[in-house]
Amino acid sequence: TGTLTQNQMTVTQLYAGGELLALSGTGYEPEGAVLGHSGNAIKIKSSSPAGQCFIAGMVCNDSQLINKENKWSIQGDPTEGALYVSGRKAGFDEHELAESLRRIDSIPFESERQYMATLHEQAESAGPVVYVKGALEKVLDKCSDQLGARGNPEPFNRQAAIDQADGMAGRGLRVLAFARGTLPSGHTNFSGMGVPDNLVFLGLQAMIDPPRPEAEAAVNACARAGIQVKMITGDHAKTADAIARKLNLRQTYGAGEDLIPVITGNQLSDISDEALTQTIERTLVFARVAPEQKLRLVEALQERRQVVAMTGDGVNDAPALKQADIGIAMGVTGTEVAKEAADMLLTDDNFATIEAAVEEGRGVFDNLIKFITWTLPTNMGEGLVILAAVFAGVALPILPLQILWINMTTAVLLGLMLAFEPKEEGLMDRPPRKPEAPILTRTLLVRIMLVSMVLLAGAFLLYELALRQGSAIAVARTIAVNVFVMIELCYLFQCRSLSRSAFKINFFSNPWVLGGSAVMIFLQLAFTYFPFMNRIFHSAPISPFHWLGIAGACCIAVTVVAADKKRSGRQMGSLPVTLI
């Protein structure tokens, strides 16, 4: 609730005394009416089953309905807030009810219990009255009678209530059941007694919590990215199934799979760990699940070698959040315990933000690989040039100070700019990558070796050629340094995508790369032609003929990388994640 849905509850239907009523209006503004069968507004008496159902929703409630600057909002649980609004539409006021039905004790809602109960003194009666609201099956189990149309208890038609609840849940509505009762004489609190088992059933209130529009698009993106999405909820199984159908969670699973739409918490308790491991990947929704069962679901998925991202907000969710590979706590509704146990905090409680975080993570991972793929050939090429000179018994083509210049300037002005590379198109269309797969694939290692050999060949051959043509050794070394820098600059544009041609990428999409390249070219010209730079780095001016040789080496490097991309095809992926 509130992650895949909007968390904007509105009661739209009420069933009480064998009659189904509708409510008009949306949101938290208490504007609307209770509508009868004819569609006209009707007046609700407080003694009627419908009136008692509305009153139960307002007094068995811990939230507040607030009007600030003509804008209505809820302080507390949105579900309880919707009950205040529905009661207001029926003509009741929560403040007046709080005076006439003074609360003297309460049993708060807990996931294990699945109901809330309050005890009230009645102004006109000596005995206290109990109001209960909660999950259908939990409340019905405590009911022996129902409030009839005339306001008197009568035999309880349990099946009629179940049928109405199933119909409401099948339309994606969240259903709460309401009941009332009394404590035995002498009891003025729940201590040592709890809620009695002879309650009078008052009715049902059904509210809509529409799926977030962006959630459906996020589920679509997860399906393309190879991410399974599973829903865990405390709602009725049919309500959860209806929401799952609206969001089309099925599309995140393989076509033709024999899927299990819903497993309830009771069914889950009866499934062995071994059987659960076999069925969990084929299950879309887990409904009426207790928080402690989340840990079991996480462990079952991990037994299947899945990477699991788990969302949660309650204290009891902490073990599952801790066990999951990525624990995601709700930042708005989450408890401090859940936040401390999680790896990630969802500040807006929106599922679409999780999908956006996956996409952002893939983009960061992509850019990290691009930087590694770009920087390794430089270091390897420099080492190979030094080794080649040592084995050949000739003077070093590049001095240590010049190597420092190359590494210092290119890493900052060229390599660092890849961190600002925008996410590639189709990033979320890639298949998952195995968690145990190395950071650098065999394809990228081959590419790194190819570029290293081009750097070695280009720098060493042009260095030797310059010396044989009678150039000074400072000129030959300057040529070798420029070979390294210019090939790195050209290779940088090829590394903006590890699979697509550099000519298919928007040239201006990363202005940082263009700015860094421009500054690098200026510094390299200064390195080559400025006298004070010549003195510091033992460089020397070179002729246009030498630049032609450097340009030829760059063309060879670009051609080699382009051919390797065409041969290897797209090889990059991202982490597989099962989101719950």
Side-chain angles (χ1 to χ4, degrees):
T1 304
T3 304
L4 288 168
T5 58
Q6 297 180 25
N7 210 17
Q8 290 285 332
M9 302 290 187
T10 303
V11 175
T12 59
Q13 288 186 330
L14 180 138
Y15 172 76
E19 187 178 17
L20 184 63
L21 305 175
L23 287 87
S24 61
T26 59
Y28 293 131
E29 292 194 16
E31 296 180 0
V34 182
L35 309 177
H37 295 296
S38 62
N40 297 324
I42 60 175
K43 186 172 178 59
I44 302 297
K45 296 181 179 180
S46 61
S47 59
S48 67
Q52 283 294 299
C53 190
F54 282 122
I55 290 172
M58 299 184 84
V59 299
C60 189
N61 200 315
D62 285 332
S63 295
Q64 291 183 5
L65 184 62
I66 300 172
N67 184 7
K68 188 176 182 180
E69 299 178 354
N70 292 324
K71 185 175 181 181
W72 292 90
S73 62
I74 293 298
Q75 183 175 327
D77 183 78
T79 300
E80 292 188 328
L83 298 177
Y84 274 141
V85 176
S86 67
R88 286 280 192 98
K89 292 175 182 177
F92 301 104
D93 184 275
E94 66 270 22
H95 303 294
E96 294 178 0
L97 290 173
E99 292 181 5
S100 61
L101 292 167
R102 189 174 68 86
R103 183 189 294 191
I104 55 177
D105 200 6
S106 66
I107 298 177
F109 177 87
E110 288 186 4
S111 301
E112 298 86 352
R113 192 181 298 120
Q114 295 188 353
Y115 68 80
M116 175 184 177
T118 53
L119 186 63
H120 304 264
E121 287 183 345
Q122 300 184 86
E124 69 281 357
S125 172
V129 61
V130 177
Y131 283 103
V132 179
K133 80 167 189 295
L136 178 76
E137 53 272 26
K138 297 295 182 180
V139 175
L140 295 193
D141 286 345
K142 293 184 174 294
C143 293
S144 57
D145 296 304
Q146 68 182 30
L147 195 63
R150 300 193 178 194
N152 298 316
E154 62 183 30
F156 182 29
N157 189 345
R158 179 187 177 97
Q159 191 56 49
I162 293 175
D163 291 343
Q164 286 290 341
D166 286 346
M168 294 169 172
R171 294 188 292 275
L173 301 178
R174 300 189 71 200
V175 183
L176 286 179
F178 299 84
R180 78 178 187 194
T182 57
L183 294 184
S185 177
H187 287 269
T188 57
N189 56 56
F190 289 117
S191 178
M193 171 97 185
V195 176
D197 291 329
N198 58 343
L199 299 178
V200 176
F201 175 72
L202 300 177
L204 307 171
Q205 291 196 51
M207 57 194 72
I208 187 170
D209 184 17
R212 293 178 182 265
E214 62 270 25
E216 185 174 358
V219 170
N220 292 339
C222 288
R224 298 194 308 271
I227 302 171
Q228 281 189 355
V229 182
K230 298 183 184 296
M231 182 196 298
I232 296 181
T233 178
D235 275 339
H236 192 282
K238 289 193 175 182
T239 303
D241 183 51
I243 296 294
R245 290 178 184 275
K246 287 181 181 179
L247 294 171
N248 196 14
L249 293 191
R250 182 179 290 267
Q251 67 177 309
T252 66
Y253 296 75
E257 281 194 40
D258 183 19
L259 299 179
I260 303 171
V262 184
I263 288 180
T264 64
N266 288 336
Q267 292 171 326
L268 190 60
S269 299
D270 296 332
I271 299 175
S272 66
D273 290 340
E274 183 178 351
L276 181 61
T277 303
Q278 299 302 317
T279 61
I280 190 167
E281 286 193 13
R282 298 185 292 113
T283 306
L284 278 70
V285 176
F286 296 90
R288 290 286 196 246
V289 172
E292 60 268 18
Q293 291 177 317
K294 289 186 178 183
L295 175 60
R296 189 178 173 208
L297 294 174
V298 171
E299 291 173 338
L301 283 166
Q302 290 175 331
E303 281 289 319
R304 303 285 296 177
R305 297 180 62 79
Q306 291 279 7
V307 177
V308 185
M310 183 77 187
T311 66
D313 57 5
V315 173
N316 292 331
D317 293 331
L321 293 172
K322 201 74 175 176
Q323 176 66 29
D325 299 281
I326 306 119
I328 306 172
M330 303 295 101
V332 178
T333 60
T335 61
E336 290 302 317
V337 174
K339 294 175 184 178
E340 287 293 330
D343 304 296
M344 189 170 86
L345 194 63
L346 199 59
T347 56
D348 59 359
D349 289 7
N350 191 338
F351 175 79
T353 305
I354 300 177
E355 180 271 328
V358 174
E359 183 177 15
E360 189 67 23
R362 288 189 172 193
V364 171
F365 185 83
D366 243 15
N367 289 348
L368 176 65
I369 301 302
K370 291 172 184 177
F371 175 81
I372 294 173
T373 305
W374 173 84
T375 195
L376 285 183
T378 305
N379 299 322
M380 193 174 295
E382 289 168 346
L384 290 173
V385 165
I386 299 299
L387 284 175
V390 170
F391 285 122
V394 298
L396 294 179
I398 305 176
L399 296 174
L401 187 61
Q402 293 171 338
I403 290 177
L404 179 63
W405 164 263
I406 295 172
N407 291 341
M408 181 180 66
T409 55
T410 58
V412 174
L413 296 173
L414 300 182
L416 188 60
M417 301 303 109
L418 287 174
F420 303 101
E421 188 65 27
K423 294 185 288 290
E424 291 190 46
E425 294 179 6
L427 189 65
M428 292 297 282
D429 297 335
R430 298 177 183 177
R433 120 183 221 286
K434 294 181 180 179
E436 63 271 16
I439 291 179
L440 293 177
T441 64
R442 181 180 299 178
T443 298
L444 294 181
L445 289 174
V446 169
R447 188 175 303 170
I448 290 168
M449 289 300 302
L450 288 173
V451 177
S452 299
M453 297 308 296
V454 171
L455 283 168
L456 167 64
F460 204 84
L461 290 177
L462 290 178
Y463 168 79
E464 284 294 321
L465 180 62
L467 289 178
R468 293 186 181 185
Q469 290 176 342
S471 299
I473 192 169
V475 172
R477 283 172 172 161
T478 304
I479 294 171
V481 170
N482 277 296
V483 167
F484 266 88
V485 172
M486 293 305 164
I487 287 181
E488 280 189 72
L489 194 151
C490 295
Y491 182 46
L492 177 74
F493 286 89
Q494 287 285 3
C495 285
R496 290 185 63 193
S497 173
L498 298 177
S499 56
R500 294 188 298 155
S501 169
F503 301 103
K504 293 183 179 180
I505 303 171
N506 183 356
F507 186 75
F508 300 100
S509 62
N510 187 349
W512 293 95
V513 165
L514 300 179
S517 299
V519 174
M520 187 69 247
I521 290 172
F522 170 78
L523 288 179
Q524 202 55 33
L525 291 174
F527 173 89
T528 305
Y529 295 107
F530 285 17
F532 76 94
M533 296 286 278
N534 296 154
R535 289 194 300 272
I536 295 173
F537 293 100
H538 307 288
S539 58
I542 59 177
S543 69
F545 173 77
H546 296 139
W547 282 111
L548 285 176
I550 295 168
C554 291
C555 290
I556 293 173
V558 170
T559 303
V560 167
V561 175
D564 184 63
K565 284 185 180 182
K566 188 174 181 179
R567 176 192 62 82
S568 61
R570 183 161 63 183
Q571 297 292 327
M572 295 300 296
S574 193
L575 288 175
V577 181
T578 296
L579 291 175
I580 298 182

